[in-house]
Short mmCIF file of all heavy atoms in Angstrom, two decimals:
data_model
loop_
_atom_site.label_atom_id
_atom_site.label_comp_id
_atom_site.label_asym_id
_atom_site.label_seq_id
_atom_site.Cartn_x
_atom_site.Cartn_y
_atom_site.Cartn_z
N VAL T 1 -141.37 20.80 -131.38
CA VAL T 1 -141.80 22.16 -131.07
C VAL T 1 -143.23 22.30 -131.58
O VAL T 1 -143.50 22.09 -132.76
CB VAL T 1 -140.88 23.20 -131.76
CG1 VAL T 1 -141.45 24.61 -131.57
CG2 VAL T 1 -139.47 23.11 -131.21
N HIS T 2 -144.15 22.65 -130.69
CA HIS T 2 -145.55 22.73 -131.07
C HIS T 2 -146.03 24.14 -131.41
O HIS T 2 -147.07 24.30 -132.05
CB HIS T 2 -146.43 22.18 -129.94
CG HIS T 2 -146.38 20.70 -129.81
ND1 HIS T 2 -147.27 19.86 -130.45
CD2 HIS T 2 -145.54 19.89 -129.11
CE1 HIS T 2 -146.98 18.60 -130.15
NE2 HIS T 2 -145.93 18.59 -129.33
N GLY T 3 -145.31 25.14 -130.94
CA GLY T 3 -145.77 26.50 -131.19
C GLY T 3 -144.66 27.50 -130.98
O GLY T 3 -143.64 27.21 -130.35
N PHE T 4 -144.85 28.69 -131.51
CA PHE T 4 -143.88 29.76 -131.34
C PHE T 4 -144.57 31.10 -131.52
O PHE T 4 -145.69 31.19 -132.04
CB PHE T 4 -142.70 29.62 -132.31
CG PHE T 4 -143.11 29.49 -133.75
CD1 PHE T 4 -143.47 30.61 -134.51
CD2 PHE T 4 -143.15 28.25 -134.37
CE1 PHE T 4 -143.85 30.50 -135.83
CE2 PHE T 4 -143.54 28.12 -135.69
CZ PHE T 4 -143.89 29.25 -136.43
N ASP T 5 -143.89 32.16 -131.08
CA ASP T 5 -144.36 33.52 -131.33
C ASP T 5 -143.14 34.40 -131.52
O ASP T 5 -142.05 34.09 -131.02
CB ASP T 5 -145.24 34.03 -130.19
CG ASP T 5 -146.11 35.21 -130.62
OD1 ASP T 5 -146.19 35.49 -131.85
OD2 ASP T 5 -146.72 35.86 -129.75
N ILE T 6 -143.33 35.49 -132.24
CA ILE T 6 -142.23 36.39 -132.57
C ILE T 6 -142.36 37.65 -131.72
O ILE T 6 -143.40 38.31 -131.73
CB ILE T 6 -142.23 36.76 -134.06
CG1 ILE T 6 -142.43 35.51 -134.93
CG2 ILE T 6 -140.96 37.50 -134.42
CD1 ILE T 6 -141.36 34.47 -134.78
N LEU T 7 -141.31 37.99 -130.99
CA LEU T 7 -141.29 39.21 -130.19
C LEU T 7 -140.97 40.41 -131.07
O LEU T 7 -140.40 40.26 -132.16
CB LEU T 7 -140.25 39.08 -129.08
CG LEU T 7 -140.68 38.32 -127.82
CD1 LEU T 7 -141.02 36.87 -128.12
CD2 LEU T 7 -139.59 38.40 -126.75
N PRO T 8 -141.33 41.62 -130.65
CA PRO T 8 -141.07 42.80 -131.47
C PRO T 8 -139.60 42.99 -131.84
O PRO T 8 -139.30 43.57 -132.89
CB PRO T 8 -141.58 43.95 -130.60
CG PRO T 8 -142.61 43.33 -129.72
CD PRO T 8 -142.12 41.95 -129.45
N ASP T 9 -138.68 42.52 -131.00
CA ASP T 9 -137.26 42.68 -131.30
C ASP T 9 -136.70 41.54 -132.15
O ASP T 9 -135.48 41.46 -132.37
CB ASP T 9 -136.44 42.82 -130.01
CG ASP T 9 -136.58 41.60 -129.09
OD1 ASP T 9 -137.19 40.59 -129.51
OD2 ASP T 9 -136.06 41.66 -127.95
N GLY T 10 -137.58 40.65 -132.65
CA GLY T 10 -137.17 39.57 -133.52
C GLY T 10 -136.89 38.26 -132.82
O GLY T 10 -136.71 37.23 -133.48
N ARG T 11 -136.81 38.27 -131.49
CA ARG T 11 -136.60 37.01 -130.78
C ARG T 11 -137.81 36.08 -130.97
O ARG T 11 -138.91 36.54 -131.28
CB ARG T 11 -136.36 37.27 -129.29
CG ARG T 11 -134.97 37.85 -128.99
CD ARG T 11 -134.73 37.99 -127.50
NE ARG T 11 -135.60 39.01 -126.91
CZ ARG T 11 -135.68 39.24 -125.61
NH1 ARG T 11 -134.97 38.50 -124.75
NH2 ARG T 11 -136.46 40.19 -125.14
N VAL T 12 -137.55 34.81 -130.78
CA VAL T 12 -138.58 33.80 -131.04
C VAL T 12 -138.81 32.99 -129.76
O VAL T 12 -137.88 32.37 -129.23
CB VAL T 12 -138.17 32.85 -132.18
CG1 VAL T 12 -139.28 31.84 -132.46
CG2 VAL T 12 -137.81 33.64 -133.43
N ALA T 13 -140.04 33.00 -129.26
CA ALA T 13 -140.42 32.15 -128.14
C ALA T 13 -140.92 30.83 -128.69
O ALA T 13 -141.76 30.82 -129.60
CB ALA T 13 -141.50 32.83 -127.30
N ILE T 14 -140.43 29.71 -128.16
CA ILE T 14 -140.85 28.40 -128.63
C ILE T 14 -141.36 27.57 -127.46
O ILE T 14 -140.94 27.76 -126.31
CB ILE T 14 -139.73 27.65 -129.38
CG1 ILE T 14 -138.55 27.35 -128.45
CG2 ILE T 14 -139.28 28.45 -130.59
CD1 ILE T 14 -137.49 26.47 -129.09
N ILE T 15 -142.25 26.63 -127.77
CA ILE T 15 -142.83 25.77 -126.75
C ILE T 15 -143.12 24.42 -127.36
O ILE T 15 -143.44 24.31 -128.56
CB ILE T 15 -144.12 26.41 -126.16
CG1 ILE T 15 -144.58 25.66 -124.91
CG2 ILE T 15 -145.23 26.48 -127.20
CD1 ILE T 15 -145.68 26.40 -124.15
N GLY T 16 -142.97 23.35 -126.57
CA GLY T 16 -143.22 22.02 -127.11
C GLY T 16 -142.87 20.93 -126.12
O GLY T 16 -142.82 21.16 -124.90
N GLU T 17 -142.60 19.74 -126.64
CA GLU T 17 -142.31 18.58 -125.81
C GLU T 17 -140.83 18.50 -125.44
O GLU T 17 -140.44 17.68 -124.60
CB GLU T 17 -142.71 17.30 -126.52
CG GLU T 17 -144.19 17.18 -126.79
CD GLU T 17 -144.50 15.95 -127.63
OE1 GLU T 17 -144.25 14.82 -127.14
OE2 GLU T 17 -144.96 16.11 -128.77
N PHE T 18 -139.98 19.30 -126.04
CA PHE T 18 -138.53 19.19 -125.86
C PHE T 18 -138.12 19.45 -124.40
O PHE T 18 -138.77 20.17 -123.66
CB PHE T 18 -137.81 20.18 -126.79
CG PHE T 18 -138.22 21.62 -126.60
CD1 PHE T 18 -137.61 22.42 -125.64
CD2 PHE T 18 -139.22 22.19 -127.37
CE1 PHE T 18 -137.97 23.74 -125.46
CE2 PHE T 18 -139.59 23.52 -127.21
CZ PHE T 18 -138.97 24.29 -126.24
N THR T 19 -137.00 18.85 -124.05
CA THR T 19 -136.38 19.11 -122.75
C THR T 19 -134.95 19.63 -122.90
O THR T 19 -134.37 20.12 -121.94
CB THR T 19 -136.36 17.84 -121.87
OG1 THR T 19 -135.68 16.81 -122.59
CG2 THR T 19 -137.77 17.40 -121.54
N THR T 20 -134.40 19.50 -124.13
CA THR T 20 -133.08 20.08 -124.41
C THR T 20 -133.08 20.72 -125.79
O THR T 20 -133.84 20.31 -126.69
CB THR T 20 -131.94 19.03 -124.36
OG1 THR T 20 -132.15 18.07 -125.40
CG2 THR T 20 -131.89 18.34 -123.01
N LEU T 21 -132.21 21.71 -125.95
CA LEU T 21 -131.95 22.34 -127.25
C LEU T 21 -130.44 22.31 -127.45
O LEU T 21 -129.70 22.94 -126.68
CB LEU T 21 -132.46 23.78 -127.26
CG LEU T 21 -133.97 23.98 -127.07
CD1 LEU T 21 -134.29 25.45 -126.85
CD2 LEU T 21 -134.73 23.44 -128.27
N ASP T 22 -129.98 21.53 -128.48
CA ASP T 22 -128.54 21.30 -128.63
C ASP T 22 -127.93 20.85 -127.32
O ASP T 22 -126.86 21.32 -126.89
CB ASP T 22 -127.84 22.57 -129.13
CG ASP T 22 -127.93 22.72 -130.65
OD1 ASP T 22 -128.38 21.77 -131.31
OD2 ASP T 22 -127.56 23.80 -131.15
N ALA T 23 -128.64 19.95 -126.63
CA ALA T 23 -128.19 19.33 -125.37
C ALA T 23 -128.19 20.28 -124.18
O ALA T 23 -127.78 19.90 -123.09
CB ALA T 23 -126.82 18.68 -125.53
N VAL T 24 -128.64 21.53 -124.36
CA VAL T 24 -128.78 22.46 -123.24
C VAL T 24 -130.18 22.31 -122.66
O VAL T 24 -131.17 22.31 -123.39
CB VAL T 24 -128.54 23.91 -123.69
CG1 VAL T 24 -128.74 24.87 -122.53
CG2 VAL T 24 -127.13 24.06 -124.28
N SER T 25 -130.29 22.19 -121.36
CA SER T 25 -131.58 21.97 -120.72
C SER T 25 -132.51 23.17 -120.89
O SER T 25 -132.18 24.29 -120.47
CB SER T 25 -131.39 21.69 -119.23
OG SER T 25 -132.64 21.54 -118.59
N ARG T 26 -133.64 22.94 -121.52
CA ARG T 26 -134.73 23.91 -121.61
C ARG T 26 -136.02 23.08 -121.66
O ARG T 26 -136.31 22.47 -122.70
CB ARG T 26 -134.63 24.80 -122.85
CG ARG T 26 -133.61 25.92 -122.75
CD ARG T 26 -133.99 26.93 -121.67
NE ARG T 26 -133.04 28.05 -121.64
CZ ARG T 26 -131.89 28.05 -120.98
NH1 ARG T 26 -131.51 26.96 -120.31
NH2 ARG T 26 -131.11 29.11 -120.99
N VAL T 27 -136.74 23.04 -120.57
CA VAL T 27 -137.85 22.09 -120.44
C VAL T 27 -139.14 22.71 -120.97
O VAL T 27 -139.83 23.46 -120.29
CB VAL T 27 -138.02 21.64 -118.97
CG1 VAL T 27 -139.15 20.61 -118.86
CG2 VAL T 27 -136.71 21.05 -118.46
N ARG T 28 -139.37 22.47 -122.25
CA ARG T 28 -140.62 22.75 -122.96
C ARG T 28 -140.87 24.21 -123.31
O ARG T 28 -141.83 24.50 -124.00
CB ARG T 28 -141.80 22.16 -122.19
CG ARG T 28 -141.62 20.66 -122.06
CD ARG T 28 -142.80 19.90 -121.57
NE ARG T 28 -142.46 18.50 -121.64
CZ ARG T 28 -141.89 17.81 -120.64
NH1 ARG T 28 -141.67 18.41 -119.48
NH2 ARG T 28 -141.57 16.55 -120.80
#
């Protein structure tokens, strides 16, 4: 994970080289 930002409601946006999160497909 190369970067992230925090939304006003506390959610976290992430971005990076990953293609899965806990084996669930999320491409970068």
Side-chain angles (χ1 to χ4, degrees):
V1 173
H2 286 269
F4 53 80
D5 200 11
I6 314 299
L7 278 62
D9 60 7
R11 287 184 292 173
V12 182
I14 64 173
I15 191 169
E17 296 174 64
F18 57 86
T19 56
T20 64
L21 298 170
D22 277 351
V24 177
S25 177
R26 283 295 183 275
V27 182
R28 301 191 175 91

